Amino acid sequence: MKVICVIGAGYVGLVTGTCFADLGNRVTCVDINEEKIATLNAGRMPIYEPGLEEMVLRNVKAGRLFFTTSYAEGLKDAEFVFIAVGTPSGVDGEADLQYVRMAAESIAEHMDHPLIIINKSTVPVGTGDWVADIIRRKRPDGPDFAVVSNPEFLREGSAIGDFLNPDRVVLGSLDPEAAERVAQLHLPLRAPIVITDLRTAEMIKYASNAFLATRISFINEIASICEELGADIKEVAAGMGYDRRIGHQFLDAGVGYGGSCFPKDVKALEYMASIHGCHPQLLRAVMEINRDQRRQVIQKLRALLGGSLQDKVIGLLGLAFKPNTDDMREAPSIEIVHLLQHEGAQVRAYDPVAMENARRVLPEVTFCRDPYELAEGCDALVVVTEWNEFKQLDMARIRPLMRQPVLVDGRNVYDPTAMRELGFTYRGMGRGYGN
Ligand code: NAD
Ligand code: UGA
C-alpha cells in the first residue's frame, strides 16, 4: 500500500485516484471546488462515467479513498502527488497553466516531507521544469522533491477500463530513482512502461493526441472525396483498416472531433510549434477540416430543405461530444446549433445523459424527453452523437411524426438503403454519390 494524493478531482483525477485506491493504495483527492468535494463526500458523482460510482463507493467504504479541499490533509504522509488539474485553451490557443501554477504553489506551501510530484495534466513541453522552479523558488530550503511527467491516455466513457488496461505508461523525469518508484506504482497494470526525460514525455502526449486527431481529419477528408466520387467511406475505412499498419481505430468519418482534449491539444501544439519558429501546416489543416465537418451538416440540410433553413425545425439526436459521457466541452453539437440558429432554424434536441449540461451552454434549444418526442414536427433529424440507443430506434414510427422525412446522419449510424426503404431522404457523411 502506498499513500497517494491526487490534486484535481475531475475526469482524470477522480478516475486516477479511484483506480489507485482500488489497487489497494490509500488515496486522498484534493480539489478547490467545494461543491465537487461535498458532492463526492455525499456519495454522489460530479460526472457521468460508466462504472465510476460503484468503484468510488466501494473504495470509500473500504477506507482507502478520501476527498477534501485541504492540501494539508491531502499531502499528509503522501509519497506520491499527482497533479491532474485542467489545462484549458488560452486566448491564442496556448495551454492556460494557471491551475497547474496554483497547484504547484499550494504543494510547495504545504509539503513537509520529501515528495514525488507527478504531472498527469496535458502540459506544454517544458512545464515539468517550470513546476520544479516554482516549488524551488517558493521553498528554497524545503524538503526534497522530484518531478515526473506521466501523461494520461484515458478516454471519457471508457475511462476506468483505459486507466486499468493502458497500452503503455509513459514516465518522464530527470531523476531515474523517482521514475523507477513511479514505475513500481504502475506495475499492477502490467503495461509496457516507457521511461524517458521530462520534455520527451510531455511531447509524447501532444503527439499522440494530434496523431489521432489527424487520423480523424484524414478520414473526413477522404469521406468528402468519396461523396463526390460515389464511394462509401464506411467500406473504404473498413478496407483500409485490415492493413495492420493502418488498423481499424479512429477511422470513423462524421461531424468531426470534439471534447475537452483534441481541439485544445492540437491548438496548443500548433501554438507551441509556431512560437518556436516551426510551420505546423498539417496541424492547421487538421483543424480546418474539423471545422468544415460541422459546416457540411448545414450545407446538406440546406440542399435538402429547399435552400433555406429559415423557420425550419431541426432535431438533433445526441449532444455530448461522444457517446457514454455527459461532457459538452467543445461538442460538435454546440457549433452545429449555433450555425443552425444563425440560419434562422428552430433547434430541438435529445441526448440520453448530456441534456443537463447542454442546457447551460445551449439555452435557446428545446430539449425533448425521447427521440420520438424530438421527431414530432421536425423538418429534419441530424445524428450528432452515435449513442447505442439510437442504433435501433423504431425509425418506421419516427418517420410519420416528422413534417419532412429528412435524415442527416452525422455519424453514419444507419444503413442508407434501409432508411430510403422506410421513406427517409437520407444523407450520411461520405456515403456514395448523393449520400
Ligand atoms: P476537469 O476540468 O474535469 O478537472 C480538473 C479539476 O481540477 C477540477 O475539478 C478543478 O476544480 C480542479 N482544480 C483546478 N485547480 C485546482 C487546484 N489549484 N487545486 C486543486 N484542484 C484544482 O479536467 P480533466 O478533464 O480531468 O483534465 C485534467 C487534465 O488531464 C487536462 O490537462 C487534460 O488535458 C488532461 N487529460 C484529460 C483527459 C480526459 O479525458 N478528460 C484525458 C487525458 C488527459
Ligand atoms: C482522447 C484520446 O482518445 C485519449 O487517449 C486522451 O487521453 C484524451 O483525448 C485526452 O487527452 O484527454 P476523448 O477526448 O475522451 O479521448 O475521446 P475520443 O474517444 O478520443 O474521441 C474524441 C473525439 O473524436 C470525439 O468527438 C469523437 O466523436 C471523435 N472521433 C473519434 C471521431 O470523430 N472519429 C473517430 O474515429 C474517433
Side-chain angles (χ1 to χ4, degrees):
M1 186 207 74
K2 297 289 184 188
V3 180
I4 297 171
C5 172
V6 178
I7 310 292
Y11 281 90
V12 169
L14 187 53
V15 169
T16 300
T18 306
C19 289
F20 274 125
D22 210 51
L23 292 169
N25 300 292
R26 182 179 197 280
V27 181
T28 305
C29 297
V30 179
D31 203 293
I32 48 170
N33 183 329
E34 288 177 8
E35 198 186 324
K36 192 172 271 192
I37 292 300
T39 302
L40 285 161
N41 279 328
R44 285 179 282 115
M45 294 304 107
I47 51 168
Y48 173 81
E49 182 62 39
L52 184 63
E53 181 167 2
E54 186 267 327
M55 203 187 240
V56 168
L57 297 181
R58 177 153 43 82
N59 283 285
V60 167
K61 197 168 169 207
R64 286 192 296 263
L65 181 59
F66 305 87
F67 303 104
T68 178
T69 53
S70 155
Y71 271 77
E73 238 174 77
L75 292 179
K76 191 170 180 309
D77 301 328
E79 183 180 348
F80 302 100
V81 183
F82 285 89
I83 298 179
V85 298
T87 50
S89 280
V91 272
D92 294 320
E94 79 280 17
D96 176 352
L97 292 177
Q98 61 169 311
Y99 304 108
V100 176
R101 175 196 285 277
M102 277 164 62
E105 286 172 347
S106 303
I107 293 169
E109 205 173 300
H110 292 92
M111 65 197 255
D112 59 5
H113 60 277
L115 284 179
I116 297 184
I117 299 162
I118 306 154
N119 184 37
K120 235 186 202 317
S121 298
T122 303
V123 289
V125 175
T127 302
D129 298 329
W130 178 73
V131 163
D133 266 5
I134 291 175
I135 298 175
R136 241 180 261 118
R137 260 188 275 121
K138 208 163 166 81
R139 293 287 299 276
D141 303 316
D144 281 348
F145 69 93
V147 175
V148 176
S149 164
N150 169 220
E152 179 51 59
F153 299 98
L154 63 76
R155 289 162 301 172
E156 291 178 23
S158 53
I160 290 176
D162 287 348
F163 186 92
L164 291 174
N165 303 290
D167 288 339
R168 78 302 206 186
V169 171
V170 173
L171 301 175
S173 185
L174 299 176
D175 180 334
E177 196 201 315
E180 189 46 44
R181 277 165 62 193
V182 183
Q184 295 289 328
L185 187 65
H186 286 85
L187 281 186
L189 304 183
R190 287 200 236 145
I193 296 184
V194 178
I195 298 188
T196 181
D197 62 86
L198 262 176
R199 285 171 178 251
T200 303
E202 289 165 344
M203 184 50 121
I204 288 172
K205 175 63 189 174
Y206 278 105
S208 302
N209 272 7
F211 184 75
L212 292 169
T214 303
R215 273 180 78 104
I216 298 170
S217 282
F218 176 84
I219 204 67
N220 281 331
E221 180 154 288
I222 298 293
S224 302
I225 301 171
C226 281
E227 209 158 286
E228 294 306 316
L229 301 185
D232 187 314
I233 192 63
K234 279 197 95 155
E235 291 176 33
V236 169
M240 287 167 61
Y242 284 111
D243 185 326
R244 275 171 295 170
R245 293 168 301 174
I246 297 175
H248 288 286
Q249 296 196 54
F250 279 73
L251 287 181
D252 291 329
V255 294
Y257 62 77
S260 65
C261 295
F262 286 173
K264 89 169 163 61
D265 292 345
V266 178
K267 252 189 269 168
L269 182 56
E270 191 262 346
Y271 177 86
M272 234 187 295
S274 300
I275 60 165
H276 285 90
C278 305
H279 303 286
Q281 309 167 55
L282 180 58
L283 299 178
R284 288 177 191 146
V286 165
M287 292 189 278
E288 183 54 31
I289 293 167
N290 200 50
R291 276 191 291 270
D292 256 355
Q293 296 311 111
R294 279 73 144 152
R295 293 184 205 128
Q296 278 191 21
V297 170
I298 311 302
Q299 284 159 7
K300 283 175 200 286
L301 286 169
R302 255 200 246 112
L304 293 167
L305 294 173
S308 164
L309 299 181
Q310 187 66 44
D311 298 326
K312 295 289 188 308
V313 181
I314 311 294
L316 303 189
L317 279 162
L319 292 163
F321 83 98
K322 66 175 206 175
N324 297 324
T325 178
D326 63 350
D327 198 340
M328 283 295 294
R329 290 180 287 183
E330 300 252 5
S333 61
I334 297 176
E335 208 175 330
I336 291 172
V337 168
H338 289 157
L339 290 170
L340 286 170
Q341 289 173 338
H342 182 74
E343 303 252 336
Q346 292 174 40
V347 185
R348 296 155 65 81
Y350 166 75
D351 187 286
V353 301
M355 286 199 288
E356 202 181 313
N357 286 342
R359 270 179 229 280
R360 289 186 214 123
V361 281
L362 297 171
E364 309 280 296
V365 167
T366 305
F367 295 95
C368 302
R369 265 196 321 270
D370 59 42
Y372 304 99
E373 186 187 83
L374 174 76
E376 277 168 31
C378 276
D379 292 293
L381 284 178
V382 181
V383 181
V384 183
T385 315
E386 68 280 32
W387 283 95
N388 264 344
E389 69 169 68
F390 298 157
K391 293 180 182 162
Q392 293 201 317
L393 285 180
D394 185 350
M395 296 304 277
R397 181 177 154 204
I398 292 235
R399 202 197 63 82
L401 296 172
M402 298 174 68
R403 194 151 67 185
Q404 302 190 60
V406 169
L407 179 57
V408 172
D409 187 354
R411 295 289 187 179
N412 291 341
V413 169
Y414 299 112
D415 174 32
T417 312
M419 290 304 114
R420 290 210 181 90
E421 280 170 9
L422 285 171
F424 284 99
T425 305
Y426 175 91
R427 292 289 183 278
M429 304 293 281
R431 310 202 66 186
Y433 184 71
N435 283 332

